[in-house]
Amino acid sequence: MSDPALMTLTEAAAAVRAGDVTSQALAEACLARIAAAQDTLNAFIAVDAEGALAAARACDREAREGRFRGPLHGVPLAHKDMFYRKGQRCTCGSKIRAGFVPDETAEVLERLDAAGAVTLGTLHMSEFAMGPTGHNAQIGRCRNPWSPEHVTGGSSSGSGAAVAARLAFGALGSDTGGSVRLPAAFCGVVGLKPTQGLLSQHGMMGLSESMDCAGPLARSSADVAVLMDVLTGQGTHHADVLSRPVSGLTVGLPTSYYFDGVEPEVQAALDAARRVLEGAGVRVVDVDVPDHSAFAELANLVFTPEAAALHLPWLLERPEDYGPQVRARLMQGLTIPAVQHLQAKQLRVLHARAMIEGPLAACDALLTPALRRRVPTAAETDVAAGTAMAATIAAVSDMTRPLSYLGLPGLVTPVGRDSAGLPVAMQLIGRPRQEATLLALGHAHESTTDWLAAVPPVPGRPAS
């Protein structure tokens, strides 16, 4: 392969272990693509070329001696700029933390380091992870590799863009309301929101203690599975998706909420995905789901007061240093009564149980859109769009926020393209700690389609 950055994470890790490519070559290829794309995509907040190359050379020395740290030995990754690394600046996409240098390293980063990963730098994010589109009033917006006029999804905007554009082999994001799944869907890669609490949040910027959730993005479900094996550190075997048959599994199509008002191009891609899964031996059935109409507001009642409580000192001392939309959302959190917040958390347990004992007891996973409509443009989600902007942004997270409220795992993987060439994705929803089932289904679909093989155009390089 002329450009080793075009390999998947799984392929790159195997090539390093076999001696077919060096970690330094992988890092150099990624850094070259970053240099070509950064001015257009704005995917990185900081690039540590010197540190990455030094780490890659160290991995190569160990490989020559037959020593491999783990399944990610020598593979370059990059992460949303909210995972702390001791002694290195972590901005959280904000002006307020522009000079923040943590004195600890996030546990999830320590696990990736121990497995041999090389870190290229830190990635763009919505300010304080508050925004589903990729806009950031402080550092500018991240742009979609398939079309810079379209949004990346947020708040893990740089994670989606960097993985899609082959600037890194994988990335960490966070998902409090869809912030891993939306960038994965909009940029045409795979993103997993694990079961609430499965991955450590130690050393990760807090936003909502009840709903924050770290999650990986990569170029395939197999890649995500490798990352999950490392991140969980529990002897789990998500990577078995490569050989796990899906024949005999049952996937449910919700008869209400999720498919209401789906645009024709999106529906056509989801229908095709259904046929692919059926061709792999999966049984697809219609299932009733509990009423979801209140979930968005209940999620808001949980999320915004917790975020406002964390930010209260800065809201009092530095209100002008927030972007206007972020400040407005935080201020809204201060107005929510404690009784409503606690009731929303209590109802969360009951609603999650209803999903687990209802539709998810009748099938192994649910299949839904990741987004009912096509990927919006930046203009459609900008404040200049007026009242239409609010409606568009609300619609962006309609499919992802319920899952964050319920705490269930969800996988997003591409299933097609719209007429503008932007990705269309499906979301698979599972029972708690059944991430491996979702990954197996995602892998089965990806193995018989070529949506993940296409590479978006990067400045200075042809599309493929």
Side-chain angles (χ1 to χ4, degrees):
M1 184 176 291
S2 60
D3 185 352
L6 299 182
M7 289 191 285
T8 67
L9 179 151
T10 307
E11 291 167 344
V16 169
R17 189 168 288 268
D20 295 333
V21 70
T22 64
S23 176
Q24 181 172 342
L26 294 178
E28 288 174 344
C30 289
L31 290 168
R33 294 180 72 86
I34 293 168
Q38 176 62 12
D39 285 349
T40 297
L41 299 184
N42 194 27
F44 277 76
I45 288 179
V47 179
D48 183 13
E50 182 178 344
L53 290 171
R57 287 191 287 267
C59 286
D60 288 335
R61 287 194 296 271
E62 293 169 359
R64 287 193 295 271
E65 296 167 359
R67 294 188 292 121
F68 296 91
R69 300 180 201 174
L72 299 176
H73 189 93
V75 178
L77 308 176
H79 308 297
K80 188 175 185 177
D81 197 24
M82 58 174 283
F83 294 94
Y84 302 164
R85 188 174 289 281
K86 184 176 181 179
Q88 294 188 12
R89 189 172 70 110
C90 182
T91 72
C92 303
S94 70
K95 181 177 180 180
I96 288 174
R97 280 204 154 180
F100 171 59
V101 178
D103 58 5
E104 62 179 349
T105 298
E107 185 174 340
V108 285
L109 293 188
E110 291 179 334
R111 290 181 185 273
L112 295 172
D113 294 345
V118 170
T119 301
L120 296 164
T122 55
L123 296 170
H124 186 285
M125 59 183 286
S126 301
E127 182 184 359
F128 286 120
M130 295 185 69
T133 65
H135 286 284
N136 187 311
Q138 311 293 355
I139 58 175
R141 73 177 183 90
C142 188
R143 298 176 185 87
N144 195 308
W146 293 104
S147 167
E149 289 74 34
H150 288 75
V151 298
T152 56
S155 62
S156 307
S157 39
S159 301
V163 172
R166 277 53 175 178
L167 312 184
F169 290 93
L172 283 180
S174 69
D175 195 313
T176 304
S179 292
V180 163
R181 289 164 289 154
L182 290 171
F186 289 18
C187 296
V189 297
V190 180
L192 175 68
K193 178 214 168 293
T195 305
Q196 190 71 36
L198 180 60
L199 299 187
S200 171
Q201 295 179 36
H202 179 77
M204 170 179 140
M205 182 207 82
L207 183 61
S208 168
E209 62 186 36
S210 299
M211 292 173 59
D212 286 345
C213 184
L217 299 90
R219 301 176 196 169
S220 70
S221 290
D223 289 354
V224 169
V226 173
L227 291 170
M228 282 297 293
D229 279 347
V230 171
L231 292 167
T232 54
Q234 298 172 344
T236 50
H237 299 286
H238 298 91
D240 288 347
V241 300
L242 290 170
S243 57
R244 179 177 176 178
V246 297
S247 179
L249 294 180
T250 300
V251 167
L253 297 179
T255 57
S256 62
Y257 184 76
Y258 285 100
F259 287 91
D260 297 344
V262 174
E263 289 187 353
E265 289 183 51
V266 175
Q267 185 65 59
L270 294 169
D271 291 342
R274 171 183 179 158
R275 292 192 292 271
V276 169
L277 291 176
E278 288 175 328
V282 175
R283 178 171 173 256
V284 181
V285 299
D286 290 340
V287 294
D288 294 329
V289 297
D291 182 12
H292 278 46
S293 60
F295 287 179
E297 179 56 25
L298 288 169
N300 190 58
L301 291 173
V302 173
F303 158 73
T304 51
E306 292 181 348
L310 281 174
H311 283 264
L312 184 57
W314 289 328
L315 286 170
L316 293 172
E317 298 167 9
R318 304 179 61 177
E320 71 285 353
D321 288 338
Y322 288 96
Q325 289 185 350
V326 172
R327 184 173 62 247
R329 291 187 71 190
L330 290 170
M331 295 299 290
Q332 178 196 25
L334 296 176
T335 69
I336 293 175
V339 170
Q340 288 187 327
H341 172 67
L342 291 173
Q343 285 178 331
K345 292 177 70 173
Q346 291 163 352
L347 288 170
R348 184 187 193 195
V349 177
L350 299 177
H351 287 310
R353 184 181 303 157
M355 282 287 284
I356 294 166
E357 296 177 355
L360 288 171
C363 56
D364 298 287
L366 302 178
L367 188 159
T368 78
L371 181 70
R372 290 189 180 104
R373 53 158 291 162
R374 292 167 292 176
V375 176
T377 64
E380 289 177 292
T381 57
D382 191 82
V383 291
T387 55
M389 175 271 294
T392 299
I393 290 180
V396 162
S397 56
D398 274 353
M399 300 290 96
T400 57
R401 183 165 291 192
L403 200 59
S404 292
Y405 174 66
L406 297 170
L408 300 173
L411 180 81
V412 160
T413 186
V415 294
R417 300 276 184 81
D418 65 23
S419 55
L422 274 294
V424 176
M426 69 175 171
Q427 177 178 235
L428 295 167
I429 298 171
R431 294 188 288 270
R433 295 182 178 263
Q434 292 300 307
E435 287 81 5
T437 298
L438 303 183
L439 290 163
L441 288 165
H443 178 67
H445 182 273
E446 294 157 18
S447 297
T448 53
T449 60
D450 59 0
W451 301 116
L452 287 168
V455 182
V458 174
R461 295 176 181 272
S464 61

